[in-house]
Amino acid sequence: MYDILFKHLEEKVSLTSGEKELVASFFTPKKLKRRQFLVVEGHVCKYLSFVTKGLLKAYNTDEKGNEHINQFTPEGWWTSDMNSFFRGEISFYSINAMEDSEVLVITSEDFENLTLQVPVMDRYFRLLFQNSLITKERRLISSHTHTAEEKYKHMVEKNPDLIRRVPQNLLASYLGLSPETLSRLKKNVM
Amino acid sequence: MYDILFKHLEEKVSLTSGEKELVASFFTPKKLKRRQFLVVEGHVCKYLSFVTKGLLKAYNTDEKGNEHINQFTPEGWWTSDMNSFFRGEISFYSINAMEDSEVLVITSEDFENLTLQVPVMDRYFRLLFQNSLITKERRLISSHTHTAEEKYKHMVEKNPDLIRRVPQNLLASYLGLSPETLSRLKKNVM
DNA sequence: AACAATACTTGATTTAGATCAATCGAATTT
DNA sequence: AAATTCGATTGATCTAAATCAAGTATTGTT
C-alpha cells in the first residue's frame, strides 16, 4: 500500500530507507466505500490524502444546489481542500469516493513535522505544487479562451483514462459545462 | 533592492546571514522600462523574477489577436512562465512591464543550485506555490460558478490596490470578460 | 498646443451555452 | 425481477455576455 506512495515520491526525490520508514510512520491508511465522504463541505479538512486505489471527486455546491467538480483524484495523486488543510479554515469542498477507494492520510500537524524531520519532503511538495500550478493555470486560461468543444477535445487528449471512468455529467461539471451541452457537442467531435 | 526579497522570504522561512548572502548571489537585478518585455511568447522563459518595483503583466495572445491576461505582478511577487522556466518548453505567455520596473532574476540552472545549496528555499517555494495554488483554484471555481458581476465584486474586495493601478480593459481580460461588459456592470455595482 | 494613440462608454445585434422539459436507457437497490 | 435511482439524449426556449459600431474622454507624444 505504501509502495505506490514511495514510487511516487521517488519520481521526484531520493529517500534513504530510514527516511522512508519515517515518512510511512506519519501516514494512516483509510478505506472508503463508494459514496463515502473524506471531507464534508463546511467542516475543517483534517487530512491531506494520497490515493492508492480508487477514484475520488472534490466538489462544491452552489446556492442553487448545483455541484461543481474541482478535481478528480485517481490512484497516485493527492487530494485535499488545501485552503482548509493548511490554514484551518472551513472546507469549501466536499471530497467523496466515486469508487471503493484506499487512501493514506496525514494531518496538518503531522505534515508540518514530516517536513521538519524529512526536509526533502519540502522539495517533493515544492515540485508537486509547482506542477499542479502549471496545470491549474492552463485550465484557467482555457476556461477564458476556449470554446466548450475545445475544452472537451483537450480533455480527451490529456486525460483519456478519466473520460472512461467518469460519468459524463460530472465531466461536464469539471469542464464548467452543462451536461446537455457536453452531450450535444460530442456528436460534432466524432 | 534585496531587502524586499529577504523581507518576503523571512515571512515564510528563517535564513542565516550566510544563507542570505548565498541567496543574493544567485540573483541578478534588471531594470525594465514601461512596455519592455521580460519574456516574449514563443521564446523560452529564461528567468524566474521577483518584482522589487513596478508592475508587470503576463498574458497570451489568441488566434484572433486578443490578449488574455494571466497575471498582474506588483512589487513583492514572483513572475514567470512556469511551464517554460521549469520544463524548458516554449513560453505560452509574454511578460511585459506596465510601469517602469525593477526585478531580481534567476535562471533555472541557478534555481536548481540554489535549492540544493540552500534547502530551506525548497520550503519557501513549497509554501509559495501552495498559496498560489489555493488562489488559482479559487479563480478557476469562480470562473465556473460566478457571474461577471460577482467576479468583479470579488476582485474589488480582494485586490482594491490593483483595481486602481490597472486599466479597466486589462482588468476585464484578467477576469475573462469583454471590456464592454465590465464597463456596463460597474454601474450596477455602485 | 496639437496630434495621435489609448481607454472608456453606450447602443444595437448576435450567439454560445444554459435552462426547462420530456423520454429513454442503464445501473443499483430491495 | 421489479422498482427506483441515475445518466444520457434531444428539442424548444431563454439569457448573459460577446461582438460590432460609433462616439467621447483621457493619456501620452512631438
Side-chain angles (χ1 to χ4, degrees), chain B residues 115-128:
Chain B
T115 56
L116 295 175
Q117 290 178 40
V118 189
V120 74
M121 290 304 286
D122 268 329
R123 185 176 180 85
Y124 170 78
F125 283 105
R126 190 264 287 171
L127 290 163
L128 181 78

Side-chain angles (χ1 to χ4, degrees), chain B residues 34 64 147-148 176-178 180-181 184:
Chain B
R34 186 166 132 83
K64 291 180 193 157
T147 62
L177 306 173
S178 72
E180 295 94 332
T181 297
R184 277 187 258 262

Side-chain angles (χ1 to χ4, degrees), chain B residues 2 55 72 84 88 93 103-104 124 130 135 142 144 157 160 164 168:
Chain B
Y2 286 85
L55 178 64
F72 296 113
S84 178
Y93 303 108
V103 296
L104 294 168
Y124 170 78
Q130 186 175 297
T135 308
S142 169
H144 289 169
E157 270 176 37
R164 268 176 264 113
Q168 199 173 291

Side-chain angles (χ1 to χ4, degrees), chain A residues 116-133:
Chain A
L116 295 175
Q117 290 177 41
V118 189
V120 74
M121 289 305 284
D122 268 329
R123 185 177 180 85
Y124 170 78
F125 283 105
R126 190 263 288 174
L127 290 163
L128 181 77
F129 293 158
Q130 184 175 300
N131 289 330
S132 301
L133 207 42

Side-chain angles (χ1 to χ4, degrees), chain B residues 42-80:
Chain B
H43 293 67
V44 172
C45 178
K46 288 170 62 182
Y47 305 120
L48 174 65
S49 308
F50 180 80
V51 179
T52 55
K53 183 169 164 281
L55 178 64
L56 313 194
K57 62 175 175 180
Y59 64 94
N60 77 298
T61 310
D62 68 20
E63 324 79 55
K64 291 180 193 157
N66 297 322
E67 283 187 12
H68 300 273
I69 303 267
N70 174 47
Q71 194 195 23
F72 296 113
T73 318
E75 52 289 325
W77 296 86
W78 297 86
T79 188
S80 183

Side-chain angles (χ1 to χ4, degrees), chain A residues 161-172:
Chain A
D161 39 322
L162 267 184
I163 303 246
R164 266 175 266 113
R165 250 169 122 177
V166 169
Q168 198 174 292
N169 60 337
L170 297 186
L171 206 67

